[in-house]
Amino acid sequence: MNLLIRLLLNALAVFILANILSGVTVDGYVGAIIVALVLSILNLLVKPILVILTLPATIFTLGLFLLVINALIILLADKLIDGFGVSSFWTALLFSVLLSVLQSLLQSLLKDDKK
């Protein structure tokens, strides 16, 4: 149940950011849920491989290269999902940073409700 709530909160974050950022488009609520699901799967399967392959660059940039990896995951999701679009790499980078911040805020609201 907690996984489903987290997925719906991530979909809400994707939907909010798609309406705020001009370079990001998503087709409705169902599209946002699909984007959240695909991003979760990509973060689970593809991101660890990319982190290991780019470990020297990540160490050299003191971890800032992880932002690039997150943007690449967003662009990969853009290619995999028809109802989701990101206009450029810089938009994907901004989207990934804002998505992380918004997800953290929404998750903290969920934890406050349990107390």
Side-chain angles (χ1 to χ4, degrees), residues 21-25 67-79 84-97:
L21 295 175
S22 61
V24 179
T25 58
L67 295 172
V68 173
I69 292 174
N70 287 340
L72 292 175
I73 295 289
I74 298 291
L75 290 173
L76 182 59
D78 172 29
K79 298 297 181 199
F84 178 61
V86 180
S87 62
S88 68
F89 172 79
W90 297 109
T91 305
L93 185 68
L94 179 63
F95 179 77
S96 70
V97 169

